[in-house]
Amino acid sequence: MNRINLSTRLFLSHMIVMIVGISTLLVVGKIYSPQLFIWHLEKLQGYGFNLIYSRRQLLEGFDSAWSRGAFWSVIVGGTSAIALSYWVSKRIMQPLIQMERITRRFASGHLEERVPANEIPELNRLAQSFNRMAKDLEGVEQRRRELVGDLTHELRTPLTVLEGYLEGLGDGTIAPSTDIYHRLAKETTRLRRLVNDLQELSKAEAGYLPINLQSLNLYPLLNSLIQKFSDQLLDDNPSLRLDCPQTLPLVLADPERVEQILINLIGNALRYTPEGSVTLRAWEATAQVWVAVEDTGQGIAPEELPHVFERFWRSDRSRDRHSGGTGIGLAISQRLVELQNGVIQAESELGKGSIFRFSLPIAPSGAFSISAIAKR
Ligand code: ADP
């Protein structure tokens, strides 16, 4: 029974319903119709009709007429029911078979396949769900391909440099010197940074980054960050300032993640500001607190600004300068801000400086902490 396919099942169930219907009709008709006919004849006799001699013929005539009528009803009704049920089963089965064919093609790598709309609402909903899932999967696959492509490109540069130097050292065309070893070490550091950043980005994008949301006072955190950076600044570095009221409301955020975002933003601001100042600002707005890192550095061109949060993106100038950046920092920061229910924005003017700001929601009254594995 398990091996019977759906269309046969549908057809058989229609047949069973038809057979039960016809049998009931025949049995009930065969038992009651003659009795009703006799009752009708007796009623006529009561009105004065003399049916004594013709009663038998009448009964036989009725019986034969009933049987013929029933026979032709069964033939015509049965045939129409069989044809109709075959047609209905086919109409239900056809889109299902088509869906099966499309899912098979999809599974074998044709990610552009979609199920067409169907007039049966339930099947249409199924088709829509499948199409939504297919679109998501196609997007994931597209991003995966892009990531692999970008990654190969990013890895190739330091590897080529390393290979060139090592071959030169090996065959004696490059004389070993501390400078060469420094360059080799720089390229390895670049590779390590790339791998670390990638690991962090993949965790953030896959949604497996632990986020420990809690009521957080931003002022001490911002202050200690300014302290940490100021300790490392040299005399010719830009000045670093804090502009934040001590009375800021508490925000609902993960202190470690906020620090991670700010280290990246301040690090960038210092890196791309040869001289001038970098200011860390925070202020309250409706239901949220904004934190901004403002610099008076080289700025970003208007056509480049929309790309700054894309992974691996670096402006051409910073590529030329071999800034050592991987172009992943802002992509991670954006994801971290989103995971804390905020938004991140960038504003910049070439030659004048940039502002990178992000928002964090104000904590509801009553301190609490929510630990969560961030889900996409
Ligand atoms: P990176 O590790 O390369 O700094 P990011 O994702 O942090 O990666 O930054 C991406 C690119 O955005 C940088 O390479 C740089 O070109 C540009 N950028 C980021 N911050 C600034 C800034 N404050 N001023 C000018 N350019 C910036």
Side-chain angles (χ1 to χ4, degrees):
M1 189 68 182
N2 277 343
R3 296 202 159 266
I4 299 177
N5 65 30
L6 183 61
S7 85
T8 316
R9 274 167 201 250
L10 273 174
F11 185 68
L12 280 180
S13 69
H14 287 161
M15 288 302 98
I16 291 171
V17 170
M18 186 193 78
I19 289 166
V20 169
I22 289 179
S23 320
T24 318
L25 186 84
L26 288 180
V27 171
V28 173
K30 190 82 192 149
I31 295 171
Y32 281 106
S33 301
Q35 284 181 13
L36 282 173
F37 189 68
I38 290 169
W39 177 74
H40 192 66
L41 288 184
E42 278 168 0
K43 229 167 124 191
L44 283 177
Q45 273 177 326
Y47 292 138
F49 284 96
N50 189 355
L51 300 170
I52 294 173
Y53 301 110
S54 51
R55 187 185 160 109
R56 233 186 82 226
Q57 281 90 337
L58 280 171
L59 270 175
E60 276 170 13
F62 171 81
D63 201 42
S64 123
W66 192 91
S67 302
R68 273 189 209 190
F71 174 77
W72 285 111
S73 304
V74 169
I75 296 292
V76 175
T79 320
S80 331
I82 289 171
L84 202 69
S85 90
Y86 178 74
W87 179 72
V88 169
S89 318
K90 235 184 136 136
R91 249 171 74 97
I92 295 176
M93 281 313 295
Q94 233 160 14
L96 286 176
I97 291 169
Q98 189 186 30
M99 259 184 221
E100 194 208 359
R101 208 188 56 239
I102 288 172
T103 43
R104 263 178 214 264
R105 272 181 65 77
F106 188 83
S108 67
H110 296 272
L111 298 185
E112 72 292 342
E113 285 285 353
R114 296 292 180 274
V115 179
N118 194 281
E119 61 203 40
I120 302 171
E122 286 80 3
L123 291 183
N124 200 33
R125 278 204 294 278
L126 185 64
Q128 282 173 353
S129 306
F130 175 84
N131 289 347
R132 252 198 315 277
M133 185 202 70
K135 197 168 155 232
D136 283 355
L137 281 177
E138 201 182 8
V140 170
E141 178 60 15
Q142 165 97 5
R143 284 200 293 280
R144 192 189 63 80
R145 277 196 205 139
E146 279 170 13
L147 178 67
V148 173
D150 289 346
L151 194 59
T152 345
H153 177 79
E154 291 300 314
L155 286 171
R156 195 170 290 136
T157 319
L159 284 175
T160 315
V161 175
L162 281 177
E163 193 183 25
Y165 278 121
L166 289 174
E167 274 177 9
L169 285 169
D171 59 25
T173 47
I174 298 177
S177 69
T178 42
D179 182 43
I180 295 293
Y181 289 122
H182 274 305
R183 278 189 216 174
L184 288 176
K186 211 175 123 198
E187 291 306 323
T188 356
T189 314
R190 196 174 141 75
L191 276 175
R192 188 173 42 78
R193 220 187 123 191
L194 185 65
V195 171
N196 288 349
D197 282 357
L198 261 176
Q199 190 183 21
E200 193 74 3
L201 180 72
S202 84
K203 270 200 244 163
E205 288 199 342
Y208 289 108
L209 214 57
I211 295 281
N212 177 21
L213 293 180
Q214 52 189 263
S215 293
L216 171 68
N217 185 1
L218 278 176
Y219 183 79
L221 190 139
L222 302 186
N223 208 11
S224 80
L225 266 173
I226 291 283
Q227 220 54 53
K228 257 191 236 170
F229 272 97
S230 300
D231 291 346
Q232 295 166 16
L233 285 182
L234 304 171
D235 283 346
D236 59 345
N237 279 136
S239 64
L240 190 55
R241 285 202 301 260
L242 176 66
D243 174 7
C244 165
Q246 293 203 22
T247 53
L248 266 187
L250 300 181
V251 291
L252 190 62
D254 181 335
E256 271 178 43
R257 303 297 172 195
V258 174
E259 195 172 330
Q260 194 178 349
I261 298 164
L262 282 168
I263 288 176
N264 181 37
L265 295 184
I266 299 173
N268 277 352
L270 291 172
R271 195 184 305 157
Y272 302 112
T273 307
E275 55 188 30
S277 65
V278 173
T279 312
L280 181 56
R281 227 183 274 287
W283 67 95
E284 179 185 349
T286 355
Q288 54 197 355
V289 167
W290 283 91
V291 184
V293 178
E294 301 183 9
D295 67 60
T296 58
Q298 65 180 57
I300 303 164
E303 67 277 9
E304 294 184 336
L305 198 59
H307 303 289
V308 283
F309 295 108
E310 288 170 14
R311 60 178 182 226
F312 296 117
W313 186 87
R314 278 162 293 164
S315 82
D316 283 343
R317 273 162 295 106
S318 64
R319 281 181 204 265
D320 289 347
R321 285 176 53 220
H322 293 295
S323 63
T326 57
I328 300 178
L330 286 175
I332 297 176
S333 299
Q334 183 182 43
R335 192 70 192 129
L336 290 178
V337 170
E338 284 168 1
L339 289 173
Q340 296 176 90
N341 307 311
V343 286
I344 188 165
Q345 298 164 348
E347 235 176 68
S348 189
E349 205 177 320
L350 208 54
K352 292 223 167 138
S354 318
I355 305 175
F356 281 86
R357 59 167 171 266
F358 63 94
S359 65
L360 292 169
I362 291 180
S365 43
F368 63 94
S369 150
I370 306 166
S371 285
I373 292 286
K375 284 277 166 227
R376 215 192 296 210

